Amino acid sequence: MSLQKSFSPILLLILISLSACGSSSSSLSSTSESNPSISSSSQTSSESTPSSASIASSFLPDDQYEDSMTWQKDGHLYIHYNRSREDKFEPFSSYENWTIWVWQKAPYDLPGVQIDWSYFDQSGAIAEIDFKSDQHLGHLRQPGQDWSEITRVGFLIVFKPTMNQTIGMWTSDGGTDMYINDFYTHIRDNGTMHLYALRGQVSDYTFHFTGSLGIDPYATDDGDFISESNVLSSQSDAYPMVNTSPDFYDHVGVGYQIFVRSFADSDGDGEGDLRGIINALDYLENLNVKALWLTPIHASETYHGYDVTDFYKINPSLGTALDFAELIYKAKQRDMRIVMDLVVNHTSTQNAWFQNSINLRKGTNSAGEEIDYRSFYHWKYSLSPLNAPWHRFGETNYYYYGKFATSMPELNYDYQGTRDAMIDVAKYWAGFGVSGFRIDAVKHVYMADEVDALSSDAITEPGSEFAANLTKNLNFFKESNYKLKSVYPNTFIVGENFDGWDQRIAPYYQAMDSQFDFQNYYHLMNMQFGINESVNPQTQAYVFQQKFNQTFALQRSRFINSAFTSNHDVARVINWVKGTPVNGNIEAKKTILASDYLDARARAWVFNAATLLMPGVSWIYYGDELGMSGNITANQDGTNFHYDRWYRQPFKWDNDDSYAAITGYSFEGYEVRWDGINASDTLVQGANQQAVSSTSMHALFRQLAAIKNELAMIHGQFIALSTGNTNVMSFQRTLGTKSYFVYLNFSPNTASISMQGTTVFSWNNASSNALPGYSLRITEVNG
């Protein structure tokens, strides 16, 4: 419906109200040009642009509007934003608090730039975005790049007052980043591009003017559009415990985590991809790993992938479904399994589930039953502002819950439709050939400030920002695990419970096969970093014994512990064991100096050995087998935004930095590249060089991984031993008549101790009666 048809009875009133409106830089007035315009404070074209304007004396018929745009310029994108409704025309004053934020997304992921309105007519306010000039190099295009080479552009229609807030994210119409895909294909013959967006329906934008006006789904709102709860989530015994994956329990001793975008490039674009992993399977097989955990490969707009836009699609920048199928097949040929990262706690705001939720839509599930997408997320109605993690949606009085970010709304698992939808996702990929799932942020599924709790619910860390509802979390994971394994019983489930206290994470073993052992990571690190010195290596072995034989075993007899060398969220081993805290922060940000590297590498030998030889699956974070570092370089703007990208640096395949598989990319203007340690061939040799060395970090990992894949090492009993030297961690791994004895010297000094058994492996000149500093010895006793 056109404005002319809708508003002709009040056209005179429109003209009067427009004559009183003003822009941020000038008032609206007459212009000699045929098109009304206003000046833009954010963009000044080198071409002549009117500085003021008035509305046309009458609206043109819809089919004549685009022919009247004689003011358009080659190389420009015009975003038309119409806030009028079918029953209400909006004058320019209603646009003054809104602006455009726009950026190139691909092939270069660049930071954005603000563009204010340049024109106002029957299509609404219009932002003129010049892709030809050099004014916005580094935002809209790179030097020497033609706009016809741009494949993807992102934009936001932002509520200006929220751009100045120091806490929280901006408010935008549509609630999320919008993207123009296949960008160059929408350039018109005259060298321009036009995009038309309606208030409240920005995601349904078009490239041609239709005259349509927005329909407000909240027009009849009386505060009732909140989430439905139809699950008795406090019944923790509603579903039984299901069996542990027999395949992983008996056959997988070592896994390997791959941050996909940083691991191996196959097509020369600088970004890692699935084909790159396929090409690296021989390397991984030689390392003796039995499972590959891939960070999220689902469709997503972020470089890390933890805000999924579509759970059923592979991120096209990483590859195709056929690539993924080939990877699964070829990995299985080498006795390797693929573990998919599944983000069940939240989605992207661009996910169709969330877009359906904000538009109050219903649908049908896989069983043909009606579902209400509004209830897929947590919604509250409030006439007064709510604080984070509740985030206001647009101009409504509704708030959604997002603990991690406003761009990551959290799913409502008190609604059965949401539970069924996520279980269907897991079943789909299990049927595709995935062997297991790494479940992100398990305790966050039900946070204490997310849903109301019963008095009988168990709350962990009460009163803190990490307080979680344990009872409800167990209810959800028991149901999802039960329903998944009723179809795919061999599926492996490992949870990320970011908590270093084993007593707190232990109950989750009622609902999943495995959990990442943050206690192992932090205790071993603290021991070497000089923190908590009361726990020495010898006594730490007894702490581990208590954890494995009682704390965890009481929850699940066939539990699979998942120790890890490091991961994409925490400091690498090299940095922890010797690094210098940055600004006094000893928790995550540590810098290793070149002069300290060799000492740090020696310390890392015993940390990595202890981790690899723990029960269950021991996970190698890509690059730890090379001794890579994760030094953090401060951002030029002084912020710490995306500092964790330094934990995700390109894998060092070769000393030759032009080696084809080596990645190097940027996102939002941030580079993902090597720090000075990793760039030094003297300190960190490439994988190709280390693979043929008998004294490299790679050689240590490769040989330990082969031993760890022995059944006695995978789930044999863990027995702590005392050697009389508190700097030595010693333990026994026994299954049936076979026992391994492990001796690890965590100090720089030689430890003279008595060791039993026949040598299976030794490192750094360890002998039958002496362990030089940072050395280790593994022996075997049969019978």
Side-chain angles (χ1 to χ4, degrees):
M1 183 178 294
S2 72
L3 282 170
Q4 182 185 29
K5 296 173 183 174
S6 300
F7 296 106
S8 54
I10 57 170
L11 181 57
L12 181 59
L13 178 60
I14 294 171
L15 294 172
I16 294 172
S17 57
L18 279 169
S19 66
C21 295
S23 72
S24 59
S25 57
S26 65
S27 61
L28 291 173
S29 59
S30 300
T31 178
S32 59
E33 298 208 15
S34 61
N35 181 75
S37 69
I38 60 174
S39 69
S40 168
S41 59
S42 293
Q43 173 171 302
T44 304
S45 172
S46 58
E47 301 176 60
S48 175
T49 300
S51 61
S52 60
S54 64
I55 193 69
S57 59
S58 64
F59 294 127
L60 296 169
D62 297 341
D63 58 359
Q64 296 179 21
Y65 169 73
E66 291 203 344
D67 292 335
S68 71
M69 297 187 298
T70 57
W71 40 267
Q72 57 190 323
K73 303 164 188 171
D74 175 65
H76 287 58
L77 163 66
Y78 296 91
I79 295 181
H80 305 242
Y81 175 50
N82 200 330
R83 294 181 53 78
S84 295
R85 302 291 194 190
E86 290 191 353
D87 59 345
K88 183 183 179 183
F89 173 81
E90 294 289 350
F92 179 72
S93 58
S94 70
Y95 295 83
E96 291 183 304
N97 275 332
W98 295 86
T99 189
I100 297 292
W101 187 263
V102 62
W103 65 97
Q104 180 183 159
K105 183 66 177 176
Y108 301 103
D109 192 353
L110 304 178
V113 63
Q114 181 181 345
I115 307 292
D116 282 331
W117 310 116
S118 298
Y119 305 100
F120 181 55
D121 63 12
Q122 69 192 73
S123 70
I126 308 169
E128 180 181 50
I129 304 160
D130 186 354
F131 278 83
K132 285 284 190 176
S133 76
D134 292 342
Q135 183 178 359
H136 298 302
L137 285 179
H139 297 276
L140 301 181
R141 64 180 179 85
Q142 294 285 58
Q145 182 187 29
D146 188 79
W147 84 318
S148 63
E149 299 170 339
I150 298 172
T151 56
R152 206 151 189 250
V153 165
F155 70 95
L156 279 169
I157 301 177
V158 187
F159 187 54
K160 278 185 181 180
T162 65
M163 299 177 77
N164 297 320
Q165 61 192 20
T166 57
I167 299 176
M169 304 289 282
W170 299 342
T171 296
S172 65
D173 192 342
T176 187
D177 297 347
M178 301 295 169
Y179 289 97
I180 307 172
N181 297 316
D182 301 319
F183 182 79
Y184 59 92
T185 65
H186 303 293
I187 300 174
R188 300 183 177 190
D189 291 341
N190 65 1
T192 68
M193 185 184 304
H194 291 262
L195 182 149
Y196 299 88
L198 302 178
R199 174 186 178 187
Q201 298 168 253
V202 178
S203 62
D204 298 325
Y205 64 79
T206 64
F207 292 101
H208 293 280
F209 182 70
T210 65
S212 298
L213 297 175
I215 300 173
D216 184 5
Y218 298 90
T220 61
D221 175 36
D222 55 7
D224 288 338
F225 300 138
I226 57 177
S227 310
E228 177 186 354
S229 296
N230 60 8
V231 175
L232 300 177
S233 56
S234 292
Q235 292 185 349
S236 60
D237 59 351
Y239 289 88
M241 181 186 295
V242 293
N243 291 333
T244 300
S245 166
D247 179 42
F248 273 75
Y249 187 75
D250 289 331
H251 300 113
V252 182
V254 179
Y256 191 87
Q257 182 194 353
I258 296 174
F259 192 85
V260 179
R261 204 174 295 275
S262 295
F263 185 60
D265 180 16
S266 72
D267 57 10
D269 66 355
E271 297 189 3
D273 46 50
L274 296 175
R275 178 65 52 188
I277 300 173
I278 293 171
N279 296 341
L281 286 175
D282 287 344
Y283 168 82
L284 296 166
E285 182 181 20
N286 182 59
L287 192 58
N288 295 310
V289 300
K290 298 296 182 181
L292 305 178
W293 155 30
L294 312 184
T295 53
I297 60 172
H298 296 113
S300 171
E301 297 299 344
T302 57
Y303 88 105
H304 54 70
Y306 281 96
D307 49 350
V308 176
T309 58
D310 192 330
F311 286 103
Y312 290 96
K313 288 184 179 178
I314 300 296
N315 191 326
S317 68
L318 303 179
T320 67
L322 287 177
D323 292 331
F324 190 42
E326 183 179 343
L327 173 59
I328 292 170
Y329 174 75
K330 290 186 174 179
K332 285 185 176 179
Q333 286 182 315
R334 294 166 169 81
D335 194 27
M336 286 187 280
R337 300 133 185 90
I338 300 299
V339 174
M340 173 179 264
D341 212 317
L342 187 59
V343 187
V344 304
N345 178 67
H346 53 267
T347 71
S348 166
T349 48
Q350 297 172 54
N351 192 293
W353 294 352
F354 188 73
Q355 289 299 306
N356 286 335
S357 186
I358 65 177
N359 286 293
L360 311 179
R361 294 170 183 152
K362 291 179 169 39
T364 55
N365 62 16
S366 59
E369 302 164 332
E370 184 179 82
I371 52 176
D372 180 6
Y373 284 110
R374 184 63 168 180
S375 294
F376 268 43
Y377 299 84
H378 297 285
W379 290 99
K380 277 186 178 181
Y381 180 83
S382 178
L383 294 176
S384 57
L386 299 181
N387 295 324
W390 291 95
H391 309 290
R392 187 178 182 183
F393 172 67
E395 300 170 85
T396 73
N397 292 314
Y398 287 97
Y399 294 75
Y400 62 88
Y401 185 89
K403 193 79 167 182
F404 289 99
T406 59
S407 59
M408 298 179 180
E410 304 204 10
L411 291 160
N412 170 29
Y413 286 110
D414 262 4
Y415 180 61
Q416 190 62 47
T418 316
R419 292 189 172 207
D420 293 341
M422 189 56 73
I423 293 168
D424 282 346
V425 168
K427 287 179 178 178
Y428 174 84
W429 291 111
F432 196 87
V434 166
S435 296
F437 298 96
R438 179 263 189 186
I439 308 298
D440 183 60
V442 296
K443 70 181 178 184
H444 283 266
V445 169
Y446 279 99
M447 295 301 282
D449 59 353
E450 186 172 0
V451 293
D452 294 331
L454 298 183
S455 59
S456 58
D457 287 353
I459 306 297
T460 58
E461 300 181 85
S464 78
E465 64 173 313
F466 302 111
N469 192 311
L470 173 63
T471 304
K472 292 181 182 292
N473 280 328
L474 291 181
N475 171 279
F476 168 70
F477 286 112
K478 280 185 175 181
E479 177 181 345
S480 58
N481 205 6
Y482 176 83
K483 290 183 175 179
L484 174 61
K485 290 197 175 187
S486 66
V487 183
Y488 300 101
N490 249 333
T491 305
F492 171 68
I493 303 295
V494 55
E496 183 223 21
N497 199 338
F498 208 131
D499 193 329
W501 191 19
D502 55 334
Q503 297 282 349
R504 240 186 338 245
I505 74 169
Y508 285 85
Y509 271 113
Q510 298 175 35
M512 56 191 63
D513 304 7
S514 181
Q515 292 184 82
F516 288 105
D517 192 353
F518 282 89
Q519 188 218 38
N520 178 88
Y521 173 82
Y522 283 116
H523 280 218
L524 290 181
M525 291 298 192
N526 291 346
M527 225 165 49
Q528 293 206 22
F529 201 61
I531 303 169
N532 197 12
E533 293 178 349
S534 62
V535 179
N536 58 54
Q538 181 172 274
T539 59
Q540 186 62 54
Y542 288 91
V543 173
F544 288 161
Q545 177 179 275
Q546 169 78 19
K547 173 177 64 178
F548 297 137
N549 298 345
Q550 296 185 49
T551 307
F552 290 171
L554 288 175
Q555 302 291 338
R556 176 179 288 268
S557 60
R558 289 166 63 89
F559 73 92
I560 300 175
N561 189 61
S562 279
F564 57 93
T565 57
S566 62
N567 66 38
H568 61 287
D569 285 329
V570 297
R572 285 190 180 270
V573 179
I574 290 291
N575 299 83
W576 249 113
V577 299
K578 187 67 177 178
T580 301
V582 175
N583 297 326
N585 185 341
I586 61 175
E587 177 62 25
K589 308 173 190 176
K590 298 177 177 61
T591 299
I592 183 73
L593 303 176
S595 57
D596 289 332
Y597 181 80
L598 294 182
D599 181 46
R601 185 179 64 183
R603 292 168 180 253
W605 289 339
V606 285
F607 169 88
N608 289 324
T611 300
L612 287 173
L613 298 173
M614 289 294 137
V617 182
S618 296
W619 296 90
I620 303 167
Y621 184 46
Y622 83 101
D624 280 349
E625 79 273 23
L626 304 181
M628 289 182 63
S629 71
N631 280 352
I632 296 170
T633 301
N635 296 331
Q636 292 182 352
D637 59 5
T639 68
N640 64 353
F641 292 152
H642 299 297
Y643 74 82
D644 49 8
R645 73 187 186 277
W646 295 102
Y647 304 154
R648 307 160 186 178
Q649 295 179 38
F651 184 74
K652 189 166 185 177
W653 283 104
D654 198 273
N655 289 348
D656 180 359
D657 58 11
S658 66
Y659 190 78
I662 295 175
T663 66
Y665 59 94
S666 64
F667 65 94
E668 301 172 18
Y670 296 95
E671 285 187 286
V672 180
R673 56 175 174 82
W674 289 333
D675 60 33
I677 299 294
N678 292 330
S680 169
D681 297 337
T682 303
L683 300 178
V684 181
Q685 291 271 301
N688 291 335
Q689 286 72 35
Q690 291 200 34
V692 296
S693 168
S694 61
T695 59
S696 65
M697 183 74 82
H698 183 280
L700 174 65
F701 271 81
R702 182 177 67 249
Q703 294 172 83
L704 289 176
I707 296 169
K708 176 58 191 296
N709 285 320
E710 294 290 330
L711 195 56
M713 278 292 191
I714 296 175
H715 61 73
Q717 185 180 9
F718 184 99
I719 304 170
L721 303 174
S722 177
T723 64
N725 188 318
T726 58
N727 291 320
V728 174
M729 177 182 289
S730 181
F731 53 87
Q732 176 181 341
R733 303 295 312 284
T734 297
L735 183 67
T737 60
K738 189 166 189 175
S739 293
Y740 289 99
F741 292 83
V742 178
Y743 304 92
L744 302 153
N745 184 1
F746 278 82
S747 83
N749 304 315
T750 297
S752 297
I753 60 173
S754 175
M755 292 175 272
Q756 59 181 306
T758 304
T759 299
V760 174
F761 176 76
S762 65
W763 186 260
N764 199 23
N765 300 313
S767 65
S768 60
N769 57 13
L771 293 175
Y774 307 124
S775 68
L776 63 120
R777 184 169 179 252
I778 303 172
T779 64
E780 180 182 6
V781 174
N782 288 297

